[in-house]
């Protein structure tokens, strides 16, 4: 830009020196004034390249300035959203300001650099309705120029919560839950070998205020890798949220016993209906709830109790036979 201005300056000086060759220093002074007048009549509005990102509920600063750096104190400067027909904040040549109705109490013009052609706009308490295009325009008595910039809003959701439960007859389900995302996040499941897993089900529900709540479920079986990670990444640049879990074999064993539990009901009935043992003792033993790590012990106890029952019955029979023999006369 400076190179072009220098070339323009040289060309302008040369041009006016040709028009007025008779008065050397006067020509230089007049041509300089005319060049400054031309520069003042034309200018360009510059804004940051690429979209800006800001957090929901946070604050953003939208910058806008003139090139070349002319004073904008006597100009009208307006921040607006033409596609919505809304004026956001307007600076008038007399120094007064007007806020748009929707932005009243939420915007501020930074006027500390107005002499160099900069008038940035600060917006706070951002909502999803503030997302989109903004137009910054400068208007003098003789010239007008504008530029647009894009504002994207983001919301980083909560850390993923992993919920584990039994899943029908297929193993264990692990559900990844997270709330408060914008825009819609991506969910990725991996095992310890970094293999991507396909979820059994997934929901991304958008609330009335535009925020996304996510639920994604995978199913783990005995043959699956027990180590899992659930990663949520925002749809725009921002930090990922990750949670990890290792499913123990005890949970999978519990699922297997739950599947077999109907086949074990007859053991309970056999003990409860038995009239050969003390009331309450054996029913109490068999009514112990299944615990994943106690399942093998339970099976062993059942077998031992059966053996004990047979031993007791045998002992009773032998005692009665011995008693009856003792009563017989010689």
């Amino acid at each position: 830009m400076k190179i072009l201005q220098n070339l323009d300056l040289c060309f302008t000086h040369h041009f006016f020196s040709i028009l007025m060759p008779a008065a050397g220093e006067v020509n230089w002074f007049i041509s300089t004034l005319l060049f400054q007048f031309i520069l003042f009549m034309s200018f360009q509005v510059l804004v940051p390249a690429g979209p800006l990102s800001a957090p929901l509920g946070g604050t953003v600063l939208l910058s806008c300035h003139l090139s070349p750096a002319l004073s904008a104190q006597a100009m009208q400067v307006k921040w607006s959203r033409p596609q919505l027909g809304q004026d956001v904040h307007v600076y008038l040549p007399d120094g007064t300001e007007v806020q748009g109705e929707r932005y009243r109490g939420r915007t501020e013009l930074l006027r500390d650099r107005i002499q160099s052609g900069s008038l940035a706009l600060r917006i706070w308490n951002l909502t999803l309705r503030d997302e989109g295009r903004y137009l910054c325009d400068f208007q003098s008595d003789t010239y007008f120029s504008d530029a647009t910039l894009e504002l994207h809003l983001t919301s980083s959701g909560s850390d993923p919560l992993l919920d584990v439960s039994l899943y029908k007859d297929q193993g264990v389900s692990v559900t990844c839950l997270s709330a408060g995302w914008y825009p819609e996040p991506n969910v990725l499941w991996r095992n310890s070998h970094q293999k991507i897993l396909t979820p059994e089900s997934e929901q991304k529900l958008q609330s009335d205020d535009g925020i996304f709540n996510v639920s994604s479920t995978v199913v783990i079986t005995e043959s699956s890798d027990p180590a899992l990670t659930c990663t949520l990444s925002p749809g725009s640049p921002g930090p990922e949220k990750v949670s990890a879990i290792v499913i123990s074999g005890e949970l999978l064993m519990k699922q297997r016993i739950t599947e077999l539990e109907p086949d074990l009901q007859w053991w309970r009935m056999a003990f409860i209906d038995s009239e050969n043992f003390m009331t309450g003792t054996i029913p109490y033993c068999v009514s112990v709830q299944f615990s994943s790590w106690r399942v093998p012990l339970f099976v062993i106890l059942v077998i031992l109790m059966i053996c004990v029952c047979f031993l007791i019955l045998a002992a009773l029979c032998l005692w009665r036979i011995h008693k009856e023999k003792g009563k017989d006369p010689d």
Side-chain angles (χ1 to χ4, degrees):
M1 180 63 72
K2 288 184 178 179
I3 295 174
L4 292 176
Q5 289 179 5
N6 291 335
L7 291 175
D8 289 342
L9 183 61
C10 293
F11 175 78
T12 304
H13 290 170
H14 181 67
F15 177 74
F16 281 105
S17 64
I18 293 174
L19 290 179
M20 294 179 287
E25 292 184 0
V26 176
N27 290 344
W28 173 264
F29 177 73
I30 294 174
S31 63
T32 302
L33 289 178
L34 289 173
F35 178 70
Q36 292 295 333
F37 178 73
I38 292 171
L39 285 179
F40 183 77
M41 288 181 60
S42 63
F43 49 79
Q44 184 180 7
V45 177
L46 301 179
V47 295
L52 299 178
S53 292
L56 271 173
T59 302
V60 68
L61 184 66
L62 307 181
S63 60
C64 181
H65 65 277
L66 293 177
S67 177
L70 304 174
S71 173
Q73 195 163 6
M75 299 183 187
Q76 175 181 292
V77 183
K78 179 163 60 173
W79 282 94
S80 62
R81 305 187 67 185
Q83 71 278 11
L84 300 179
Q86 298 173 354
D87 287 345
V88 180
H89 206 125
V90 182
Y91 170 84
L92 300 174
D94 60 3
T96 59
E97 298 179 20
V98 179
Q99 281 184 314
E101 184 176 351
R102 275 198 56 244
Y103 299 89
R104 199 158 293 162
R106 294 198 301 124
T107 61
E108 175 189 13
L109 286 178
L110 304 186
R111 299 168 56 170
D112 55 326
R113 297 179 58 195
I114 193 171
Q115 292 289 348
S116 59
S118 176
L119 208 60
L121 174 70
R122 177 180 287 132
I123 310 175
W124 55 84
N125 294 333
L126 290 166
T127 67
L128 283 181
R129 292 193 300 174
D130 297 325
E131 186 175 55
R133 284 188 178 182
Y134 286 77
L135 178 71
C136 173
D137 66 68
F138 285 72
Q139 183 174 353
S140 68
D141 292 335
T142 57
Y143 199 75
F144 171 88
S145 181
D146 59 28
T148 61
L149 57 81
E150 189 85 15
L151 175 62
H152 292 171
L153 297 181
T154 63
S155 176
S156 183
S158 60
D159 291 331
L161 173 66
L162 299 181
D163 179 68
V164 181
S165 61
L166 300 181
Y167 183 78
K168 300 178 182 178
D169 58 349
Q170 300 180 20
V172 173
S173 68
V174 183
T175 301
C176 185
L177 303 168
S178 185
W181 289 90
Y182 187 85
E184 182 179 330
N186 300 312
V187 185
L188 191 63
W189 287 95
R190 287 191 179 98
N191 60 19
S192 61
H193 304 291
Q194 298 304 306
K195 179 182 178 182
I196 297 176
L197 306 178
T198 302
E200 183 72 18
S201 63
E202 188 168 285
Q203 285 186 325
K204 297 176 182 178
L205 302 178
Q206 191 171 20
S207 59
D208 293 338
D209 57 2
I211 300 300
F212 287 90
N213 300 323
V214 180
S215 172
S216 181
T217 301
V218 293
V219 175
I220 300 301
T221 62
E222 279 188 284
S223 60
S224 303
D225 188 335
L228 298 173
T229 59
C230 175
T231 303
L232 282 93
S233 55
S236 59
E240 295 181 337
K241 297 290 184 74
V242 182
S243 286
I245 191 172
V246 177
I247 305 299
S248 67
E250 299 168 4
L251 282 173
L252 295 172
M253 180 64 75
K254 182 176 181 179
Q255 174 67 317
R256 289 183 63 192
I257 294 303
T258 302
E259 297 169 17
L260 295 174
E261 195 171 4
D263 297 332
L264 299 176
Q265 292 295 333
W266 69 274
W267 290 106
R268 292 192 178 94
M269 297 305 298
F271 286 124
I272 293 172
D273 293 340
S274 176
E275 297 178 354
N276 299 323
F277 301 98
M278 295 179 63
T279 304
T281 303
I282 293 179
Y284 171 79
C285 294
V286 297
S287 63
V288 176
Q289 292 184 352
F290 288 100
S291 177
S292 59
W293 65 271
R294 292 181 178 176
V295 167
L297 179 60
F298 171 78
V299 175
I300 293 172
L301 287 175
V302 170
I303 296 173
L304 288 175
M305 291 170 68
I306 294 172
C307 295
V308 170
C309 292
F310 281 112
L311 289 174
I312 293 174
L313 286 174
L316 286 174
C317 290
L318 291 174
W319 179 77
R320 287 181 179 177
I321 292 171
H322 179 74
K323 186 177 179 180
E324 290 176 359
K325 285 184 178 182
K327 291 180 180 181
D328 292 338
D330 295 330

